[in-house]
């Protein structure tokens, strides 16, 4: 394993290296997955990312949004402020901070701080079965009819992190069968659904 990969688990050191320009923000989303998300977010006026980490996908989503649109980035940053600092710096360097509102909370706890209806949600937070089920409840509360919900790490792929099994099971047993939503695209580990025009 390369030194920088190992240092990613030492957030304060990684933050220092990022500040000095010696390390880049990291993401587990692939370029193809980010391109897919950016196509689906393009028409949104209000978008949400659940689980922002270092802000790599958030920056691309924000850049794809209309100039008057807003991206809410929701993450509790339970491991301390260093990862959040990297995310803020990365979004600043990509010149998209003006379109982003950062909420430091779990998706469930952020509900009161989010608009009542949103156009797009990217779910990439807690990958346990219970965690994704909670985020699915948040999606159903917030997403407008016709809106897009995208879920990361729910379509098994070679090399997918082992701790995604709960999320895969929640998607297969619960989310996939909701009659109010329809699968519109699969890209690697990503599944993209549209909410029916009457909601569910
Ligand atoms: C896989 S990373 C997200 C990666 C990011 N979406 C990207 O594309 O680079 C998961 C993140 O979810 C956050 N998280 C964990 N539980 C969460 C929850 N209940 N609500 C929101 N975010 C959560 C973690 O703090 C972590 O930063």
């Amino acid at each position: 394993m390369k030194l920088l990969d190992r240092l990613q688990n030492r957030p304060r050191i990684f933050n220092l290296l990022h500040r000095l320009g010696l390390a880049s923000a990291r993401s587990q989303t692939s370029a193809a997955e980010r391109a897919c998300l950016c196509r689906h977010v393009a028409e949104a006026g209000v978008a949400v990312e659940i689980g922002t980490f270092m802000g790599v996908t958030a920056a691309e989503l924000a850049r794809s949004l209309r100039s008057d649109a807003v991206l809410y980035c929701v993450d509790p940053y339970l491991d301390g402020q260093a990862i959040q600092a990297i995310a803020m710096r990365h979004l600043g360097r990509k010149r998209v901070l003006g379109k982003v509102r950062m909420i430091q909370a779990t998706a469930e706890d952020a509900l009161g701080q989010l608009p009542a209806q949103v156009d797009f949600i990217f779910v990439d937070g807690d990958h346990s079965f219970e965690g994704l089920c909670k985020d699915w409840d948040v999606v159903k509360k917030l997403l407008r009819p016709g809106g897009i919900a995208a879920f990361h790490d729910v379509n098994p792929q070679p090399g997918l992190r082992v701790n995604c099994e709960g999320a895969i099971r929640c998607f297969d047993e619960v989310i996939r069968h909701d009659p109010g939503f329809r699968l519109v695209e699969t890209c690697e580990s990503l599944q993209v659904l549209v909410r029916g025009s009457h909601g569910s």
Side-chain angles (χ1 to χ4, degrees):
M1 195 189 254
K2 289 193 197 131
L3 180 62
L4 276 178
D5 292 339
R6 270 190 276 136
L7 287 175
Q8 199 184 313
N9 301 321
R10 306 281 300 276
R12 285 164 62 176
I13 296 175
F14 200 85
N15 181 26
L16 177 64
L17 294 173
H18 185 255
R19 184 152 61 82
L20 296 172
L22 299 173
S24 306
R26 300 287 178 103
S27 175
Q28 274 120 10
T29 54
S30 70
E33 290 171 335
R34 292 196 293 275
C36 171
L37 290 166
C38 288
R39 267 189 286 107
H40 285 285
V41 85
E43 297 303 317
V46 181
V48 176
E49 180 183 45
I50 297 177
T52 293
F53 193 51
M54 296 188 189
V56 171
T57 303
E60 293 196 25
L61 290 173
R63 206 176 41 204
S64 302
L65 283 170
R66 302 186 324 229
S67 57
D68 61 339
V70 177
L71 173 66
Y72 290 85
C73 289
V74 179
D75 197 308
Y77 288 112
L78 295 174
D79 296 334
Q81 303 304 306
I83 300 292
Q84 186 178 28
I86 294 170
M88 296 299 286
R89 193 181 300 114
H90 180 73
L91 293 163
R93 285 176 179 166
K94 296 290 178 184
R95 302 187 182 282
V96 292
L97 263 180
K99 286 183 183 174
V100 171
R101 308 281 177 275
M102 192 69 85
I103 301 178
Q104 187 178 359
T106 64
E108 202 178 23
D109 291 345
L111 264 176
Q113 299 173 65
L114 290 165
Q117 271 211 329
V118 310
D119 305 304
F120 173 97
I121 307 185
F122 173 43
V123 182
D124 193 17
D126 182 341
H127 287 64
S128 68
F129 181 87
E130 296 75 15
L132 182 53
C133 285
K134 278 189 195 167
D135 290 349
W136 173 232
D137 286 339
V138 170
V139 169
K140 288 191 289 181
K141 283 190 180 118
L142 292 180
L143 194 68
R144 69 163 170 80
I148 294 285
F151 297 83
H152 193 232
D153 294 330
V154 295
N155 187 40
Q157 297 290 298
L160 195 63
R161 290 172 294 147
V162 272
N163 62 359
C164 298
E165 282 155 8
I168 292 170
R169 192 160 66 80
C170 175
F171 187 85
D172 283 343
E173 293 179 8
V174 182
I175 299 172
R176 185 191 280 286
H177 302 292
D178 192 300
F181 289 75
R182 182 169 52 86
L183 185 67
V184 287
E185 189 166 352
T186 301
C187 175
E188 299 179 3
S189 80
L190 191 69
Q191 299 278 26
V192 184
L193 309 182
V194 62
R195 188 168 211 170
S197 48
H198 303 295
S200 65

